């Protein structure tokens, strides 16, 4: 919904006001508290939905007025609509709904207020509650969505997402489930009756028992052969076990061979390590001598390192003292430079003062010229005082004459335009007459089609009534056929009774009753098919009538537009009748105005007064250019006064400089003496000399120290060899013991290999001693297959015997069919039950809301990060554990909800603990995210966003973030309106709607 124009009359604080929204994208509605900013937006909700913040309906009427009217034009789905709502105090409201067409607004108003309101909601796809909870953040209600209960929040989201259609599907699924349940109960009753009839099977039991005895004998023989086959299979299984054991022992033998190979490899490795250790132990004396030399060199290097440390500390202390002395001397030199700069500045000032005093004579001459120029300027100022009122009067007279001339020219242009329009109308008169005749002919043709359409509609209704009667006959014939078929089935029983007298029937009477019943069935079926054929013909006729009705309705769609066009053409034709008289009057007035403008004789009194003023001004002889030259002459000599003041100041400054110069010279001499003293006899200079003597006493040589370090580095190899010697002395006995253990383990495994070889030979002998029963097993299996075929033949004979009972077989088939129908009905009932559950509040609707909430949560947190500098985070929770005392944390029942968790740097807190500014930023972010999300979806397209009093609780930084957030989503909305009473915030918006409260009511002013 995009607002276009709003016209108010006697609404709340407004008497008469008009607001045009064209060209507004992001605008600010500003004004003081109580000026009527929110009333302007309340007018939109009252016009569309009849809702406002007023307690009573008459409270929206301006105090003292009797009637209120709001005219609101808006766009929705690329179509322009107009809503007009009026109300008289003490009476009911009147609502009009119109749509824009090329010929103007066409009414869509329904029969009554409720029907018109429903029509508006159908077109805009948005009700009042959804609007205020998403697109309109009303004054004092910005937190309304947050304060709603979780279930109410889910209902609001469901309405916005158009989930109410699933409620209709849920009800339809429930109705289908009830129908299938009733059908299943009916089938169960029928199946119970068939079961009772199937129990009459005594006549066939004897034959079945004899056949079963023969089957039992064959089965016993078959069982004996099966036992013999099983015993042979046990022998074969034993042979298979021995074969598996043989494979297992062979695998063990292979593993032991691998262990022997591994132990042999490990023996070789241990022998190699022992050889390496013996080489190191043979060099024990040489290694110890080299290690002693390394320790001696290391001791000498440590002594030199101590001297180096003392030498470094003394050098560092001497550098610090030298830096301290340098800083003291630099400070004194800086003071000396400052004093020298000051005395140089004194010399420069003395030169400048002397230069100023040399210009005294020139300044005296300029002062005399300044006095003469000022005397001449005073004379011209007096003349100007006399002439100024006369010049103002002359300017006013000239302006009046110019306005009179412009008015005459404008009137002449207006007359010319009117003349052109009337001439065009006069030329269009024949065209209008022809157009009126053409439209009248089309309307006459359409009136004939409307009469024919009424006849088609009546004929269609008559055909529908005829089909309803045929359907009733069809149901009666179906019921009669069912009764006759059931009667015929009962007669198929050999012991059947007469359907009328319930007495036993002999063969003759049974044949007559069956023949009569069959004849009735044939007659009823013939009548049934006649009804079906008549229904098919009637359906085709109705389809033809419907097609004809649609075609004529499409042709009549332009009927109302043609009637409006005929009225407009008639009005235009009537307006062209008095065009000739108007043209003559315009030509006369036009000629008079042209003569006045050419002669210049308009306003004669003003022109005479202007000529008198011009004569008097010539006598006074005042010239504005001479006056300006006199002013410039005074300004040209004004510098003499400034120079005179500078000469007086220079005289005083010369005396001050002469007194200051000796003091600076004495200071310079003193500072030069202090620098000499610090360099030779200061305490720091003495300490530096003592430190230099101490450095000589230490006697540290860097060259000797470096040579000693190189010798230590070369001798480090003996230290490494000494460590290897110690390690060899420790590990040599252990490796000898490990070598002995490996030899013993290898001997044990060789013994086990011999035992496994003997076991393999024993198993092979057992397999050779036992016969293989495979041939006997194959022979028995062939005999069993032959006997199984005999059993199949006996079973087939038993099946053929059972087929002899035709009635039981028919009942069994009917029983199976109805049982399948019962299973199908139960299946359909379960399907529709599941569909009803899926379409319910806890099914698809909840799933869609849960799918949309992550996107809403992400968009909310993105906006909230801008508003709070990444301080807040919002999370939507759709399920939580119940509060039952018996349930534990593992088996707690989950319940549906829509809770909103808010977290900041201190953790998750309740919504009520946040300040007013923080709470509003959270609410505002959720509202903006919801509006932006809905704008992206096609369900309920929100193109208008209203923020009412959104800045009152915010600090300066928060206001800037809110404005930045509004600008960030501006491209997603066609119009954004922001309401505020804070004057400094309206400057952030280029388009502003100013609201002011006056004694005549609230007034509007628009600036873009």
């Amino acid at each position: 919904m995009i607002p276009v124009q709003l016209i108010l009359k006697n609404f709340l604080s407004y008497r008469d006001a008009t607001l045009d929204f064209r060209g507004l994208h992001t605008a600010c509605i500003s004004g003081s508290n109580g000026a009527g900013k929110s009333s302007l937006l309340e007018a939109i909700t009252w016009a569309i939905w009849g809702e406002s913040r007023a307690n009573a309906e008459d409270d929206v009427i301006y105090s003292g007025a009797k009637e209120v009217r709001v005219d609101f034009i808006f766009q929705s789905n690329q179509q322009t609509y107009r809503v007009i709502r009026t109300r008289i105090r003490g009476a009911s409201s009147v609502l009009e709904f119109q749509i824009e067409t090329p010929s103007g607004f066409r009414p869509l108003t329904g029969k009554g207020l409720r029907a018109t309101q429903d029509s508006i909601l159908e077109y805009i796809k948005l009700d009042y509650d959804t609007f205020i909870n998403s697109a309109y953040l009303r004054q004092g209600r910005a937190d309304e969505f947050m304060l709603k209960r979780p279930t109410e929040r889910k209902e609001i989201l469901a309405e916005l997402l158009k989930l109410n259609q699933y409620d209709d599907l849920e009800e339809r699924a429930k109705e289908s489930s009830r129908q299938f349940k009733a059908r299943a109960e009916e089938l169960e009753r029928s199946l119970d009756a068939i079961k009772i009839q199937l129990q009459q099977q005594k006549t066939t039991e004897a034959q079945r028992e004899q056949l079963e005895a023969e089957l039992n004998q064959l089965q016993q023989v078959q069982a004996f052969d099966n036992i013999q086959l099983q015993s042979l299979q046990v022998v074969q299984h034993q042979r298979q076990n021995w074969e598996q054991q043989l494979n297992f022992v062979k695998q063990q033998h292979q593993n032991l061979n691998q262990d022997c190979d591994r132990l042999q490899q490990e023996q070789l490795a241990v022998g190699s390590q022992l050889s390496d250790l013996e080489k190191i132990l043979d060099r024990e004396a040489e290694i110890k001598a080299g290690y002693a030399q390394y320790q001696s060199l290391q001791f000498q290097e440590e002594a030199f390192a101590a001297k180096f440390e003392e030498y470094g500390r003394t050098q560092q202390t001497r550098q610090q003292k030298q830096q301290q002395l340098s800083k003291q001397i630099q400070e004194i030199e800086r003071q000396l430079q400052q004093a020298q700069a000051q005395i140089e500045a004194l010399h420069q000032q003395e030169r400048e003062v002397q230069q100023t005093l040399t210009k005294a004579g020139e300044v005296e001459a300029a002062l005399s010229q300044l006095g003469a120029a000022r005397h001449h300027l005073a004379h011209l100022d007096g003349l100007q005082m006399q002439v100024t009122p006369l010049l103002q009067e002359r300017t006013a007279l000239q302006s009046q004459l110019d306005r009179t001339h412009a008015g005459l020219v404008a009137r002449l242009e207006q007359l010319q335009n009117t003349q052109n329009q009337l001439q065009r109308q006069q030329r269009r008169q024949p065209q209008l007459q022809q157009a009126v005749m053409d439209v009248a002919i089309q309307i006459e043709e359409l009136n004939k089609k409307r009469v024919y359409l009424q006849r088609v509609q009546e004929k269609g209704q008559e055909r529908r009534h005829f089909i309803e009667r045929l359907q009733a006959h069809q149901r009666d014939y179906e019921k009669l056929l069912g009764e006759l078929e059931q009667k015929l089935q009962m007669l198929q029983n050999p012991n059947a009774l007469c359907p009328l007298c319930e007495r036993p029937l002999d063969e003759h009477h049974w044949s007559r009753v069956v023949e009569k019943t069959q004849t009735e069935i044939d007659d009823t079926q013939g009548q049934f098919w006649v009804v079906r054929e008549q229904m098919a013909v009637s359906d085709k006729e109705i389809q033809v009538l419907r097609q004809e009705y649609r075609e004529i309705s499409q042709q009549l769609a332009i009927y109302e537009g043609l009637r409006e066009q005929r009225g407009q053409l008639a009005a235009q034709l009537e307006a062209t009748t008095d065009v000739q008289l108007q043209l003559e009057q315009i030509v006369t007035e036009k000629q008079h105005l042209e003569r006045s403008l050419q002669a210049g004789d308009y306003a004669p009194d003003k022109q005479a007064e202007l000529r008198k003023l011009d004569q008097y001004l010539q006598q006074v002889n005042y010239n504005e250019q001479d006056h300006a030259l006199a002013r410039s002459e005074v300004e040209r000599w004004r510098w003499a006064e400034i120079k005179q003041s500078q000469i007086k100041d220079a005289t005083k400054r010369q005396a001050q400089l002469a007194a200051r110069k000796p003091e600076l010279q004495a200071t310079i001499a003193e500072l030069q003496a202090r620098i000499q003293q610090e360099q030779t006899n200061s305490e720091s200079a003495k300490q530096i000399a003592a430190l230099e003597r101490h450095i000589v006493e230490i006697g540290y040589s860097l060259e000797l120290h470096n040579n000693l370090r190189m010798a230590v580095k070369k001798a480090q190899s003996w230290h490494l060899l000494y460590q290897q010697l110690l390690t060899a002395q420790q590990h040599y006995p252990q490796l000898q013991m490990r070598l002995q253990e490996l030899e013993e383990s290898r001997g044990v495994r060789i013994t086990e290999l011999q035992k496994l070889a003997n076991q393999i030979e024993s198993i092979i002998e057992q397999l050779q001693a036992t016969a293989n029963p495979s041939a006997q097993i194959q022979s028995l299996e062939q005999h069993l297959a032959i006997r199984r075929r005999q059993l199949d033949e006996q079973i087939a004979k038993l099946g053929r015997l059972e087929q002899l009972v035709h009635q039981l077989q028919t009942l069994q088939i009917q029983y199976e069919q109805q049982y399948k129908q019962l299973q199908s009905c139960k299946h359909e009932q379960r399907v529709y039950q599941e569909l009803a559950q899926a379409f319910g509040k806890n099914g698809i609707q909840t799933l869609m809301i849960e799918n949309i909430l992550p996107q809403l949560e992400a968009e909310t947190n993105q906006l909230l990060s801008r508003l709070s500098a990444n301080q807040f985070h919002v999370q939507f929770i759709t399920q939580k554990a119940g509060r039952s005392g018996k349930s534990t944390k593992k088996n707690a029942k989950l319940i549906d909800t829509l809770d909103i968790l808010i977290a900041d740097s201190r953790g998750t807190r309740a919504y009520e603990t946040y300040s007013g500014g923080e709470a509003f930023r959270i609410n505002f972010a959720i509202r903006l995210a919801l509006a932006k999300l809905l704008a992206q979806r096609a369900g309920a397209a929100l193109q208008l966003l209203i923020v009412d009093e959104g800045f009152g609780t915010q600090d300066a930084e928060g206001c800037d973030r809110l404005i930045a957030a509004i600008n960030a989503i501006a491209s997603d909305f066609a119009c954004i309106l922001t309401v505020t009473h804070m004057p400094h915030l309206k400057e952030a918006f280029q388009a502003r709607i100013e609201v002011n409260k006056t004694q005549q009511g609230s007034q509007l002013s628009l600036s873009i």
Side-chain angles (χ1 to χ4, degrees):
M1 182 178 65
I2 306 172
V4 177
Q5 188 180 45
L6 180 65
I7 302 175
L8 308 179
K9 182 178 180 182
N10 297 329
F11 183 82
L12 292 178
S13 61
Y14 291 89
R15 291 285 293 177
D16 289 295
T18 301
L19 179 57
D20 195 342
F21 294 90
R22 297 180 181 91
L24 296 182
H25 182 206
T26 303
C28 172
I29 303 177
S30 62
S32 59
N33 285 329
K37 305 182 299 298
S38 298
S39 300
L40 194 63
L41 302 175
E42 290 284 341
I44 297 177
T45 62
W46 187 75
I48 296 179
W49 297 284
E51 298 284 350
S52 68
R53 66 173 183 270
N55 295 325
E57 293 186 1
D58 286 343
D59 289 347
V60 299
I61 304 176
Y62 186 86
S63 179
K66 296 182 179 180
E67 182 182 6
V68 62
R69 174 188 171 98
V70 177
D71 189 340
F72 181 49
I73 301 175
F74 63 95
Q75 292 180 353
S76 179
N77 297 325
Q78 298 180 353
Q79 183 65 53
T80 303
Y81 300 95
R82 182 181 185 185
V83 177
I84 304 173
R85 190 183 291 269
T86 59
R87 180 178 179 82
I88 299 175
R89 191 180 296 275
S92 60
S93 300
V94 178
L95 180 60
E96 298 180 35
F97 185 39
Q98 303 172 359
I99 184 171
E100 188 181 40
T101 63
S103 59
F105 281 98
R106 180 171 61 84
L108 296 176
T109 306
K111 296 181 180 180
L113 180 65
R114 183 179 297 274
T116 305
Q117 187 67 60
D118 294 339
S119 179
I120 294 173
L121 294 179
E122 182 180 358
Y123 276 91
I124 66 175
K125 302 291 190 280
L126 198 66
D127 59 9
Y128 175 73
D129 291 332
T130 305
F131 180 77
I132 65 171
N133 282 288
S134 58
Y136 184 15
L137 273 64
R138 297 180 59 187
Q139 187 175 15
R141 298 178 67 182
D143 57 347
E144 184 170 5
F145 187 81
M146 291 292 294
L147 296 179
K148 290 282 187 181
R149 292 194 298 270
T151 56
E152 294 175 343
R153 294 195 197 111
K154 296 188 77 170
E155 291 176 358
I156 292 171
L157 287 177
E159 291 176 1
L160 292 176
L161 297 173
K162 289 186 174 181
L163 301 183
N164 52 1
Q165 58 182 340
Y166 292 103
D167 295 335
D168 298 334
L169 294 174
E170 178 188 9
E171 189 60 31
R172 289 167 58 185
K174 289 181 179 178
E175 180 62 25
S176 298
S177 176
R178 287 192 290 267
Q179 293 177 359
F180 279 108
K181 183 178 180 181
R183 175 62 178 161
E185 292 174 354
E186 181 181 354
L187 288 171
E188 286 177 351
R189 290 192 296 269
S190 177
L191 288 172
D192 292 339
I194 293 175
K195 283 182 180 178
I196 295 173
Q197 296 179 14
L198 289 175
Q199 293 174 359
Q200 301 175 2
Q201 299 177 352
K202 295 180 180 180
T203 57
T204 57
E205 289 297 332
Q207 297 177 0
R208 181 180 299 175
E209 289 176 357
Q210 181 181 358
L211 191 58
E212 287 178 351
E214 295 175 359
L215 287 173
N216 288 332
Q217 184 178 1
L218 288 173
Q219 289 174 353
Q220 289 176 0
V221 175
Q222 188 83 350
F224 177 77
D225 290 343
N226 284 329
I227 293 172
Q228 188 177 1
L229 177 63
Q230 290 176 359
S231 62
L232 292 173
Q233 288 176 346
V234 167
V235 174
Q236 187 179 19
H237 180 68
Q238 181 66 32
R239 285 181 58 84
Q240 292 175 353
N241 289 337
W242 285 341
E243 290 173 353
Q244 291 176 358
Q245 186 178 1
L246 178 62
N247 293 331
F248 176 73
V249 173
K250 287 181 178 180
Q251 183 65 35
Q252 287 183 331
H253 187 273
Q254 183 179 358
N255 293 337
L256 285 175
N257 274 327
Q258 293 176 356
D259 285 346
C260 290
D261 295 339
R262 179 181 56 80
L263 291 173
Q264 186 176 6
Q265 294 294 330
E266 191 173 353
Q267 280 180 331
L268 295 175
V270 171
S272 176
Q273 292 179 5
L274 285 173
S275 176
D276 294 339
L277 293 179
E278 288 173 354
K279 292 178 182 179
I280 294 174
L281 291 174
D282 292 340
R283 295 181 61 191
E284 179 178 0
E286 180 184 0
I287 291 172
K288 287 183 178 180
Y291 181 68
Q293 181 182 3
Y294 167 73
Q295 288 181 330
S296 174
L297 291 172
Q298 190 175 20
F299 176 76
Q300 295 177 14
E301 195 276 333
E302 289 176 355
F304 265 90
K307 289 183 179 181
F308 173 73
E309 184 177 357
E310 180 67 19
Y311 176 79
R313 283 198 301 271
T314 306
Q315 285 281 14
Q316 183 177 5
T317 304
R318 187 185 69 170
Q319 292 176 358
Q320 291 175 354
K321 294 295 182 179
Q322 287 178 346
Q323 292 176 357
Q324 182 178 0
L325 179 61
S326 299
K327 288 181 180 179
Q328 293 174 356
I329 294 173
Q330 288 174 0
E331 178 63 23
I332 298 172
E333 289 177 346
R334 186 183 61 79
Q335 295 176 2
L336 178 61
Q337 292 174 357
Q338 290 178 353
Q340 291 175 348
Q342 290 177 1
I343 196 168
E344 181 62 28
L346 287 177
H347 291 156
Q348 181 64 25
Q349 291 175 8
E350 285 178 347
R351 289 191 294 270
E352 292 176 355
V353 166
Q354 188 63 33
Q355 185 178 1
T356 301
L357 293 175
T358 57
K359 297 181 180 180
E362 183 181 353
V363 171
E364 290 295 333
L367 287 172
S368 62
Q369 292 289 341
L370 178 60
R374 282 179 174 173
H375 178 72
H376 181 58
L377 180 60
H379 172 69
L380 293 176
D381 288 340
L383 290 177
Q384 185 185 26
M385 294 295 291
Q386 297 176 7
V387 172
T388 299
L390 298 176
L391 291 174
Q392 293 176 352
E393 185 177 356
R394 186 185 185 284
T395 303
L397 288 172
Q398 186 64 43
S399 298
Q400 293 177 4
L401 288 172
D402 293 341
R403 285 196 296 271
T404 303
H405 182 272
L408 294 175
V409 173
R411 177 59 180 168
L412 184 61
E413 293 177 355
Q414 183 181 4
L415 291 173
Q416 183 64 39
N417 294 333
T418 305
Q419 182 182 6
N420 295 335
Q421 292 177 1
L422 292 175
Q423 289 174 351
R424 286 194 297 270
Q425 291 180 5
Q426 192 175 22
R427 289 193 297 269
R428 287 183 58 206
Q429 187 173 6
Q431 298 176 358
L432 290 174
Q433 292 175 350
Q434 183 63 34
V436 169
M437 292 177 62
D438 295 340
V439 172
I441 293 172
Q442 294 181 14
I443 290 175
E444 185 178 358
E445 292 293 331
L446 292 178
N447 282 329
K448 295 178 182 178
K449 291 184 178 180
R450 290 184 69 189
V451 174
Y452 181 72
L453 182 66
Q454 182 67 27
R455 294 177 181 174
V456 170
Q457 188 174 7
E458 292 174 355
K459 187 175 181 181
Q461 292 177 354
E462 186 270 331
R463 289 287 90 187
R464 281 194 293 271
H465 293 326
F466 180 66
I467 288 177
E468 291 176 357
R469 291 195 299 272
L470 292 176
Q471 289 175 347
H473 291 322
Q474 182 182 4
R475 288 192 294 270
D476 294 339
Y477 289 142
E478 288 177 348
K479 182 178 179 182
L480 181 58
L481 282 173
E483 293 175 354
L484 292 173
E485 288 178 354
Q486 185 176 5
K487 180 180 176 181
L488 189 61
Q489 289 178 0
M490 292 174 61
L491 291 173
Q492 299 298 326
N493 190 355
N495 299 323
L497 300 177
C498 178
L500 298 177
C501 60
E502 296 184 355
R503 294 179 180 178
L505 295 172
D506 55 15
E507 185 177 356
H508 175 69
H509 288 89
W510 179 83
S511 300
R512 289 185 60 187
V513 172
V514 169
E515 182 179 359
K516 182 180 180 180
T517 304
Q518 187 64 45
T519 303
E520 290 179 357
I521 290 175
D522 294 339
D523 294 340
T524 305
Q525 286 180 346
Q527 295 174 0
F528 176 78
W529 287 111
V530 170
V531 171
R532 292 287 296 271
E533 186 176 356
Q534 290 178 348
M535 287 178 60
V537 173
S538 299
D539 285 336
K540 292 181 180 178
E541 291 180 356
I542 288 178
Q543 292 177 2
V544 173
L545 291 173
R546 285 176 179 172
Q547 180 64 27
E548 193 172 6
Y549 184 85
R550 284 194 294 269
E551 293 175 355
I552 298 174
S553 297
Q554 292 176 357
Q555 295 174 2
L556 290 174
I558 61 174
Y559 180 75
E560 294 296 334
L562 288 174
R563 291 187 61 186
E564 294 179 4
Q565 184 179 0
R566 183 178 64 178
Q568 294 173 358
L569 291 173
Q572 294 176 7
L573 185 61
E574 184 179 355
T576 59
T577 55
D578 55 349
V579 168
Q580 186 61 36
L581 180 60
Q582 295 179 10
L583 282 173
E584 294 176 357
Q585 295 175 355
I586 289 172
V587 169
T588 302
E589 185 178 357
K590 183 179 174 184
Q591 292 175 355
H592 175 70
L593 290 175
E594 289 176 348
R595 285 194 300 270
S596 297
L597 289 172
Q598 291 176 359
D601 57 357
Y602 54 89
D605 51 347
K606 300 294 183 182
Q607 291 186 4
E609 189 175 353
L610 182 62
R611 286 192 294 272
K612 289 179 182 180
L613 284 174
D614 290 339
Q615 292 174 2
Y616 181 77
L617 289 172
Q618 289 177 0
Q619 293 175 3
V620 172
N621 194 22
Y622 171 77
N623 191 347
E624 183 67 30
Q625 294 180 354
D626 294 340
H627 198 177
L629 290 173
R631 290 194 191 95
S632 63
E633 187 68 17
V634 171
E635 292 297 328
R636 190 166 68 87
W637 294 106
R638 193 183 295 278
W639 65 270
E641 291 181 343
I642 299 172
K643 289 294 183 181
Q644 186 181 18
S645 176
Q646 291 177 355
I647 289 171
K648 292 179 180 178
D649 294 339
T651 305
K652 295 179 182 179
R653 184 62 180 163
Q654 189 176 26
Q656 294 174 356
L657 293 174
R660 175 66 176 160
K661 190 173 182 181
E663 296 177 359
L664 290 174
Q665 291 175 348
T667 301
I668 290 172
E670 181 183 356
L671 290 173
Q672 290 176 347
R674 285 181 59 190
I675 290 172
Q676 185 65 28
Q677 177 69 20
E678 288 291 336
Q679 290 177 345
T680 56
N681 297 326
S682 65
E683 183 66 25
S684 298
K686 294 178 180 179
Q687 292 178 355
I688 289 171
L691 289 171
E692 289 176 348
R693 290 193 297 272
H694 182 64
I695 289 172
V696 174
E697 292 174 357
I698 291 173
Y700 173 76
S701 174
L702 179 61
E703 182 180 359
L704 293 176
H705 194 184
N706 289 334
N707 293 333
L708 188 59
R709 286 174 180 169
M710 293 295 294
V712 170
K713 186 175 181 181
K714 291 179 180 179
Q716 281 182 349
S717 60
W718 293 109
H719 177 69
L720 179 60
L721 289 172
Y722 183 75
Q723 296 294 331
Q724 293 177 355
L725 176 63
L726 295 178
T727 302
Q729 291 175 348
Q730 181 181 359
H731 290 171
Y732 187 78
Q734 298 174 358
L735 289 175
Q736 287 180 333
M737 294 177 60
R738 177 60 181 165
L739 182 61
Q740 185 177 0
E741 291 174 356
L742 290 172
E743 291 176 353
E744 293 175 355
S745 298
R746 188 164 178 271
V748 170
R749 281 167 173 72
I750 291 173
T751 304
E752 291 178 355
L753 280 173
Q754 186 63 35
K755 292 180 179 180
L756 289 174
N758 297 333
Q759 189 175 359
I760 289 171
E761 292 178 358
S762 174
I763 294 171
I764 292 174
E765 291 176 355
Q766 290 178 354
L767 286 173
Q768 293 175 352
T770 305
N772 191 352
S774 299
Q776 296 179 359
I777 291 174
Q778 185 176 4
S779 176
L780 278 175
E781 286 178 347
Q782 292 177 354
H783 291 312
L784 288 171
I786 294 171
R787 199 171 290 110
R788 190 176 297 111
R789 285 194 295 272
Q790 294 175 356
L791 285 172
D792 292 339
E793 292 175 357
Q794 294 294 334
I795 293 172
K797 292 179 182 180
L798 181 62
R800 287 191 295 272
L801 179 64
E802 291 176 349
Q803 291 177 0
L804 296 177
V805 186
H806 181 70
Q807 184 178 5
L808 293 177
Q809 189 178 46
T810 303
L811 289 175
Q812 184 67 32
I813 294 172
Q814 183 179 355
Y815 179 88
E816 291 175 357
Q817 292 176 349
Q818 291 188 1
Y819 182 80
K820 290 180 180 179
Q821 294 178 6
L822 176 62
Q823 296 298 324
S824 177
C825 289
K826 289 183 178 180
H827 175 71
E828 294 292 334
Q829 179 191 359
R830 290 194 298 271
V831 169
Y832 281 108
Q833 284 180 345
E834 293 175 359
L835 285 175
Q837 185 178 2
F839 291 142
K841 297 294 183 183
N842 297 326
I844 295 176
Q845 301 185 36
T846 301
L847 180 62
M848 293 182 69
I849 291 175
E850 289 178 352
N851 289 337
I852 206 69
L853 281 178
Q855 187 177 357
L856 177 61
E857 179 179 328
E859 190 65 36
T860 301
N861 289 321
Q862 181 181 2
L863 292 170
L864 193 58
S865 64
R866 303 185 202 168
L867 300 178
S868 62
N870 297 313
Q871 294 297 318
F872 299 109
H873 183 273
V874 172
Q875 183 181 5
F876 294 93
I877 303 299
T878 57
Q879 287 186 339
K880 65 179 180 180
R883 296 183 177 180
S884 176
K886 297 181 180 180
S887 62
T888 62
K889 186 176 293 186
K890 292 183 178 180
N891 60 2
K893 183 179 180 181
L894 297 178
I895 59 176
D896 291 334
T897 183
L898 184 51
D899 293 331
I900 300 177
L901 302 182
I902 308 166
D904 58 1
S905 58
R906 292 183 289 176
T908 303
R909 293 188 287 140
Y911 171 77
E912 293 76 14
T913 60
Y914 289 89
S915 65
E918 293 172 340
F920 182 81
R921 296 178 198 179
I922 296 167
N923 298 328
F924 189 75
I926 293 176
R927 286 297 174 277
L928 288 181
L930 184 58
K932 188 174 181 180
L933 183 61
L934 293 174
Q936 295 172 355
R937 295 177 61 88
L942 295 178
Q943 297 174 294
L944 171 65
L945 180 63
I946 301 173
V947 184
D948 189 357
E949 295 295 338
F951 303 88
T953 59
Q954 300 299 301
D955 52 14
E957 185 177 0
C959 291
D960 293 338
R961 291 189 182 126
L962 285 175
I963 293 172
I966 291 174
N967 292 331
I969 66 166
S971 59
D972 295 334
F973 295 88
C975 182
I976 300 179
L977 300 177
T978 304
V979 182
T980 182
H981 65 280
M982 304 172 69
H984 65 280
L985 284 174
K986 67 181 183 180
E987 301 300 329
F989 296 86
Q990 183 177 1
R992 296 189 293 274
I993 302 172
E994 299 284 346
V995 182
N996 297 313
K997 191 71 171 289
T998 64
Q999 294 181 354
Q1000 290 76 28
S1002 299
Q1003 301 292 330
L1004 298 175
S1005 62
L1006 177 61
S1007 60
I1008 300 178

